[in-house]
């Protein structure tokens, strides 16, 4: 019998610890014998990783706000078709570092109010929400300093500074209210292990109820 697959996403501001927690959750579930796929956005399939380089490197104003929405959504469509849906159908737990809620926030709020456009395109081209979304919440200055300490070539939104990070934090919290049925908010301003205990417990409870 094929077990029921599940689609779990991590959201939160840059530097909040999403990638760290997604990795620890994957290890936790694998240790239980679950078949797990750990993936990320933008990216997660060959074509989507190519689009990632287009949107996260180069000049910050390289794309218009609308073109950027199209590029993130194109990457998501490829990732969904080639990686996420086949894995869920095969009974795997898909853990994804960011998904459509990030587009609702970053493309929907950061350069004017484009949330309506993001939602329309999502409905038309994606039409799928996660089964559970874990919001790693923390104050925006801590997140920003952690993110900037990484110093990579990808720093699209980190360079926009503290105000945008604060706006994104508030936006994610209101998104958690809007989609109450799938969001769980976890306090990320603690040690990696303390946060991880909460994340793993929350997901264990969710999977046990499936
Ligand atoms: P995100 O994916 O949300 O941007 P990361 O998981 O990449 O965040 O973490 C950003 C940086 O902060 C990394 O250097 C990571 O090692 C560190 N970090 C993650 N979680 C914690 C934590 N709970 N306490 C202190 N540092 C952390
Ligand atoms: P990510 O690699 O998760 O960065 P971080 O580890 O710093 O959180 O995401 C890279 C950047 O892409 C991040 O600044 C948020 C942005 N992003 C969007 O603007 N829209 C999207 O739809 C997604 C998935 C990411």
């Amino acid at each position: 019998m094929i077990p029921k697959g599940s689609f779990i996403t991590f959201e939160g501001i840059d530097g909040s610890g999403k990638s760290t927690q997604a990795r620890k959750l994957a290890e936790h579930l694998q240790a239980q014998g679950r078949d797990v796929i750990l993936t990320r956005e933008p990216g997660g399939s060959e074509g989507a990783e190519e689009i990632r380089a287009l949107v996260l490197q180069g000049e910050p104003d390289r794309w218009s706000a609308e073109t950027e929405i199209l590029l993130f959504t194109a990457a998501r469509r490829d990732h969904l078709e080639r990686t996420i849906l086949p894995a869920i159908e095969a009974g795997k737990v898909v853990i994804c570092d960011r998904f459509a809620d990030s587009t609702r926030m970053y493309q929907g709020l950061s350069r004017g109010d484009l949330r309506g456009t993001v939602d329309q395109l999502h409905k038309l081209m994606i039409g799928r929400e996660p089964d559970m979304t874990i919001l790693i919440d923390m104050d925006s200055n801590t997140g920003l300093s952690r993110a900037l300490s990484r110093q990579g070539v990808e720093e699209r939104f980190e360079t926009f500074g503290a105000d945008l990070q604060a706006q994104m934090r508030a936006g994610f919290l209101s998104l958690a209210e809007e989609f109450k049925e799938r969001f769980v908010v976890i306090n990320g301003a603690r040690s990696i292990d303390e946060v991880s205990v909460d994340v793993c417990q929350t997901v264990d409870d969710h999977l046990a109820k499936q």
Side-chain angles (χ1 to χ4, degrees):
M1 200 185 91
I2 299 179
K4 198 165 183 294
S6 194
F7 181 27
I8 297 167
T9 58
F10 279 84
E11 296 284 358
I13 57 175
D14 293 323
S16 56
K18 297 176 300 298
S19 317
T20 306
Q21 294 300 329
R23 201 170 50 243
K24 286 185 79 72
L25 175 64
E27 287 163 6
H28 170 79
L29 295 176
Q30 273 156 353
Q32 295 175 356
R34 295 223 181 229
D35 212 345
V36 176
I37 294 240
L38 179 58
T39 184
R40 67 164 182 185
E41 290 209 347
S45 63
E46 207 182 318
E49 289 289 335
E50 288 180 30
I51 297 174
R52 181 180 177 100
L54 294 177
V55 287
L56 295 186
Q57 295 177 29
E59 286 301 305
D61 57 0
R62 183 174 181 185
W63 309 108
S64 75
E66 288 76 8
T67 307
E68 198 174 270
I69 294 171
L70 289 165
L71 287 168
F72 276 104
T73 308
R76 179 160 307 125
R77 173 77 199 203
D78 194 62
H79 185 208
L80 192 71
E81 283 176 6
R82 291 168 196 260
T83 306
I84 298 175
L85 292 179
I88 295 172
E89 271 157 36
K92 298 179 186 176
V93 179
V94 177
I95 301 172
C96 190
D97 187 350
R98 296 194 183 278
F99 191 65
D101 295 315
S102 283
T103 316
R104 292 185 173 107
M105 287 298 98
Y106 290 87
Q107 283 64 50
L109 295 186
S110 68
R111 296 207 268 171
D113 182 6
L114 290 172
R115 173 72 195 274
T117 308
V118 170
D119 282 340
Q120 274 183 300
L121 198 59
H122 177 79
K123 195 168 168 217
L124 191 65
M125 284 297 156
I126 308 297
R128 165 93 201 201
E129 301 296 347
D131 299 314
M132 169 174 266
T133 299
I134 296 172
L135 173 58
I136 308 284
D137 176 56
M138 70 165 43
D139 95 88
S140 44
N141 289 325
T142 312
L144 188 60
S145 65
R146 281 191 198 167
L148 291 175
S149 71
R150 281 182 308 209
Q151 294 206 330
V153 285
E154 293 178 346
E155 47 178 33
R156 180 74 183 80
F157 285 90
E158 288 150 18
T159 53
F160 285 62
D163 286 354
L164 180 77
Q165 287 281 94
Q167 194 194 349
M168 291 298 117
R169 183 202 188 182
F172 274 120
L173 286 170
S174 67
L175 213 52
E177 281 293 308
E178 186 180 337
F179 297 105
K180 264 199 179 75
E181 67 294 342
R182 68 177 164 88
F183 262 90
V184 177
V185 182
I186 289 184
N187 172 15
R190 295 175 291 160
S191 74
I192 291 176
D193 286 344
E194 283 171 310
V195 178
S196 178
V197 165
D198 278 5
V199 168
C200 293
Q201 186 63 57
T202 302
V203 172
D204 283 346
D205 291 349
H206 164 74
L207 293 175
K209 276 190 237 137
Q210 269 195 333

